[in-house]
Amino acid sequence: MLNKLFKLDDHQTTVRTELFAGLTTFLTMAYIIFVNPDILAAAGMDKGAVFVATCLAAAVGCLIMGLYANYPIALAPGMGLNAFFSFVVVKSMGVSWEVALAAVFFSGILFLILSVLPVRAWIINSIPRSQKLAIAAGIGLFLGFIGLKSAGIVVDHPATLVTVGTLTSWPVLLAVLGFLAMVALDYKRIPGAIIIGILLAATAGALMGVSKAPSALISMPPDPMPTFLALDFAGFFQLAGATMMILLFSFLLVDLFDTAGTLIGLAHQADMLDADGNLPKLGPALIADSGATVAGALLGTSTTTSYIESASGIRAGGRTGLTAVTVAGLFLLALIFAPVATSIPAFATAPAIVFVACMMTRGLADIDWDDVTEFVPAVITALSMPLTFSIATGIGLGFIAYVAIKLFCGRWDDVGPAMWLVAGTFIVYFVAV
């Protein structure tokens, strides 16, 4: 039955290989069940309910990807967009988390519509490669700043805006311990390096009395109702037009390009691209991703997206949707470990955020550093995100810089129609606010 459903023979794989690949992928991305509740709690959301929503959204996304697209790619609430949700949309812009969830829901609907229309290829191809790489790197720098702040390594200062914290404090030292453990374990290609580092820092903190130990190892899952179907649609439509559009555009754009880049990269690693270098079933994969975003918003979490950590399962031999379905089952099993997940302190999840940030900034190496009209706007995009504390602002400034530099250098033919449209929209937005 499994062979017929997932076409195992056609992909030259076995049930045992797929199950092991699913376990490997889960271990490399399971840190999200600790980190996502911690980040969204900063927006005022119930940590226990977000833990449940995280596990369920990941399970739903993996099931759709596995059963519909038949790809070994796992999904969960995405890093970067969860930080944008909490620290920019809610804390900086003053939008309630209920309204922010509605924005995530509608961005998922738009993504779903784009996924079934030919326009998705037009949008993806119109954005220059340097800007796609810069967006990923900029989100990484943004996450890195948040992680260093959560660890207490970076603190605010009235004269210099930021300065170094108390590096000899136990929370900082434990965060550094967790980070070093993650790097060392990942270097040795040990699955679950990030989650092991989180648990190591949290356990050490509990033993030293720096943080509280969990009351139990397993229990019934927390009540999901504080965030389940808590979207404020009325509040969303009462937002100013420019604010509404910038929220939708930011969630949609980042998810679209992050997903497209992740899918192509993973498919290349799994040797699934066709002779033209295209993903044969890009449409179903994007539908799975956008459908998971819609489901995740309804459950009570920020944007759900494809995970680059799926590469670990692909390296272990995963080639079909059975790998993703296995990950879905493990996320459902994780629901009973709520006492552990909800007791993890910020200094234990902070190194995970910084480590993910380091991996995301690797894209800067692939930018054309010999073309000043490409690398300058890319650097503006990447730098603007952490320094303005806004992914949306970074994208806007970078896109405007790209169009303006190409125009002044006489290379306006390099600018695609989507770039003109997006840059113009951001100019209107910046003038309006």
Side-chain angles (χ1 to χ4, degrees):
M1 181 190 70
L2 292 176
N3 181 43
K4 182 178 180 181
L5 180 60
F6 297 104
K7 299 180 174 59
L8 301 180
D9 288 343
D10 293 347
H11 291 87
Q12 299 179 330
T13 185
T14 65
V15 172
R16 181 178 179 180
T17 298
E18 295 293 303
L19 294 178
F20 180 74
L23 174 62
T24 303
T25 295
F26 174 77
L27 289 175
T28 60
M29 63 184 291
Y31 66 87
I32 196 63
I33 66 177
F34 303 125
V35 178
N36 199 50
D38 201 43
I39 290 179
L40 295 190
M45 300 178 71
D46 182 86
K47 199 170 182 180
V50 173
F51 164 75
V52 174
T54 301
C55 293
L56 292 180
V60 170
C62 291
L63 286 173
I64 299 174
M65 183 67 78
L67 297 174
Y68 179 57
N70 196 24
Y71 278 140
I73 297 172
L75 298 90
M79 292 292 291
L81 281 168
N82 53 6
F84 175 69
F85 182 102
S86 287
F87 297 104
V88 178
V89 177
V90 176
K91 301 195 77 171
S92 295
M93 298 176 65
V95 176
S96 70
W97 63 263
E98 294 90 345
V99 171
L101 280 181
V104 172
F105 174 83
F106 285 119
S107 72
I109 295 293
L110 288 175
F111 192 5
L112 185 60
I113 294 172
L114 291 176
S115 298
V116 299
L117 295 176
V119 71
R120 72 169 185 267
W122 175 75
I123 294 176
I124 292 174
N125 294 334
S126 293
I127 305 300
R129 183 171 182 268
S130 61
Q131 284 300 305
K132 295 174 185 175
L133 295 170
I135 289 173
I139 293 174
L141 295 174
F142 180 64
L143 281 175
F145 184 70
I146 291 172
L148 293 174
K149 181 174 177 292
S150 297
I153 296 174
V154 171
V155 296
D156 64 323
H157 191 279
T160 59
L161 295 182
V162 294
T163 189
V164 67
T166 306
L167 298 181
T168 55
S169 68
W170 280 117
V172 170
L173 294 175
L174 291 171
V176 172
L177 170 66
F179 181 77
L180 293 176
M182 292 173 194
V183 175
L185 292 171
D186 185 75
Y187 173 74
K188 296 180 181 297
R189 292 189 176 276
I190 296 177
I194 297 179
I195 194 172
I196 293 172
I198 291 174
L199 294 176
L200 175 64
T203 301
L207 292 175
M208 298 171 60
V210 180
S211 60
K212 292 184 179 180
S215 57
L217 180 61
I218 60 174
S219 71
M220 290 295 293
D223 182 9
M225 296 313 294
T227 62
F228 180 66
L229 297 180
L231 304 82
D232 185 358
F233 294 116
F236 174 76
F237 287 112
Q238 290 173 2
L239 293 173
T243 302
M244 183 191 303
M245 292 306 298
I246 207 66
L247 286 182
L248 280 176
F249 183 78
S250 299
F251 282 123
L252 173 64
L253 188 67
V254 175
D255 192 19
L256 177 64
F257 295 124
D258 179 64
T259 298
T262 298
L263 291 176
I264 296 299
L266 292 173
H268 180 268
Q269 188 169 25
D271 196 25
M272 293 177 178
L273 300 178
D274 61 22
D276 297 323
N278 298 318
L279 191 60
K281 294 181 290 184
L282 178 60
L286 291 177
I287 289 173
D289 196 288
S290 54
T293 292
V294 173
L298 294 173
L299 290 165
T301 184
S302 54
T303 306
T304 303
T305 189
S306 301
Y307 261 55
I308 195 65
E309 284 84 351
S310 302
S312 62
I314 291 173
R315 282 199 300 266
R319 290 296 181 272
T320 75
L322 182 55
T323 295
V325 171
T326 301
V327 177
L330 292 171
F331 268 111
L332 292 176
L333 181 63
L335 284 169
I336 64 174
F337 293 96
V340 176
T342 55
S343 67
I344 299 294
F347 66 75
T349 57
I353 299 174
V354 176
F355 186 67
V356 171
C358 294
M359 293 190 291
M360 293 183 70
T361 55
R362 290 182 297 181
L364 289 174
D366 297 324
I367 293 173
D368 184 0
W369 291 99
D370 293 324
D371 188 344
V372 70
T373 68
E374 292 290 334
F375 74 75
V376 168
V379 171
I380 290 174
T381 299
L383 277 180
S384 297
M385 289 186 190
L387 296 182
T388 64
F389 215 70
S390 172
I391 293 174
T393 301
I395 293 173
L397 293 177
F399 278 26
I400 293 171
Y402 184 90
V403 172
I405 288 172
K406 291 290 185 179
L407 187 62
F408 274 77
C409 292
R411 292 177 55 180
W412 53 81
D413 288 343
D414 293 349
V415 183
M419 283 296 291
W420 288 103
L421 177 62
V422 173
T425 302
F426 270 113
I427 290 174
V428 172
Y429 170 73
F430 288 140
V431 171
V433 297

